[in-house]
Amino acid sequence: MCGIIGYIGDRKACEVIVRGLKRLEYRGYDSVGVVTEEDGKLYIKKGAGKIDEVVERLNLLDMPGKRGLGHTRWATHGVPNDINAHPQKDCTGKIALVHNGIIENFAELKKELLEKGHAFESDTDTEVIAHLIEEELKSSGSFEEALRKALLRLKGSFALGVIYTEEPDRIYFVRNESPLVLGIGEGENFGASDVPAFLEYTNRVVFLDDMEYAIVTKDSWVVKKLETGEEVEKEVQTVEWTLEMAEKGGFPHFMLKEIFEQPRVLRDAIHGNAEIIRDVAREIANYDKIFIVAMGTSYHAGLVGKYLLQRLAKKVPFVEDASEFRYEFEDLVDEDSLVIAITQSGETADTLAAMKLAKKKGAKVLAIVNVVGSMATRIADLTLYTHAGPEIGVAATKTYTTQLAVLTMLAIELARVLGTADEEYLKGLEESLREVPDLVEGSILNLSEPLRELAESLKDREDFFYIGRGIGLPTALEGALKLKEISYIHAEGLSAGELKHGPLALIEDGVPVVAIAPNGKTFDKMVSNIEEAKARGAYVISIGSSEKLREVSDTFIRMPDVDEVLSPIPYVVPLQLLAYHLAVLRGNDPDKPRNLAKSVTVE
Ligand code: AGP
């Protein structure tokens, strides 16, 4: 996820900016850049690599000027390299900006700007914004007006820092669906993606809301509405965080922070794939022999993908553990096959090996990946990005739900291309999918405290069972995996129907059984399975939206009512929270579970 820092005051801007960028390093990045301004001239230095290395290689601490912007880039459009690093400029070289977020309609805007004669240097969506402001400036009375007009044409998420050489006293900061906070100092001001970037200089902050922009000089600041240019009253708040706390956004662990980031990154995943998904769906629609390969949590996303493709696109894919696929399917994968590889890191050895095998056999390979430029993206014929930003906790959380969002969009689009579902239904699903981030934000994340209390009462149990049916089954498997990997409690995920074929023998008084029971095809069957477990003494925690579950469960976790095919995204969030709290209560560090690595690069 990109990091932004801007400074205006009496200090040497590049020094403040480089220190700020170091404080934002935890967000993850692949390239770094700084712009400063002095006497109407912009100085830009940028390059791929780690901050210390780029600072030394490009002499970033030797840049003149007392105002400037810095950026750490987490690539979303265009590979990580020197040219795609921010700042990006317009044709005149007078406008420089840094950006965090994804511009959904950048391709059509770029086409329009190219036709008008603009010359582009990079492959980024960000550069489009600089040229768009330049274009609007031709017919606007002021830079501020041009900025507003340009930004109102953008679809997607953006936090921006913008400098214009002809207005030497100010920096513009903008926020829409990507974080941006102002730091208010004495005779100096700051803008950044996160408080730690400037916390050593000031703890007085102003949080921008979506569709707001700020004009910041060394001695003043004002916040306005992007829509109208009207001034907005904002309160200056004092933060009491330590730097260490602030890097985790005030959360005690990265895992919890990442769980809470899900509404925002889900929006990014949805915005970021809105256009490309159509082309990809058209390109793969005719394949009938489909393999989905992945490991761990990504494998569970693959299982959800299978149900989605079956239900919506009427395709029946094989979902294979990538480490098994290479050996078992060697003779079965061929040029008529489509292989969908799911991997957040894009570096998992087993998944890469499966992809290479598929390529060797002439199959078409589509990768669903989080890390731009990772090996998986270089092997694949087609790539869809999950836009979740860097995930630091070893346990996959936000990368999983964004994988699910992308798979849902793909299944909807395939159903549309193939005519396998009613258009009205598909449109409704798309709309509901766009509402899921709000549901997670408004109705699920606030269950964290009740789930912590529940965890308190269960923390000494040594076995958990997670049961589900149909599209709820992968959620049960994922809930069990989360619990195992960070709390070290034995957990099994299984199909609820399978319970009485053996595992029921393990159920005795007080054994927790977590039942995933969305409304849908198999709801009544789930209720019967819950009753079976309960009759053997299980402590049943049910997750669903039907009040009927309250009667048959010991604890009922109420979910918003969504179409069953969308349920895997919201339903996994309480399971992530439950695992997190159990891990912490048992004294474990959920960010660094024993014996596990974030990216498994050996087979
Ligand atoms: C899940 O919490 C784990 N971190 C692990 O199962 C992970 O999903 C698996 O190793 C696959 O990683 P990938 O998505 O980077 O390929």
Side-chain angles (χ1 to χ4, degrees), residues 44 49 52 121 138 197 223 265 318 324 330 346 547 561 580 587:
I44 293 183
D52 288 340
E121 280 182 354
K138 293 178 186 162
V223 177
V265 297
F318 300 89
E324 293 290 314
E330 202 177 357
E547 278 296 316
D561 198 15
Y580 168 80

Side-chain angles (χ1 to χ4, degrees), residues 295-298 343-345 348 394-396 481-482 485 600:
M295 300 300 293
T297 292
S298 295
T343 166
Q344 91 76 23
S345 60
T348 297
V394 165
L481 175 60
K482 284 289 89 83
E485 68 176 325
V600 185

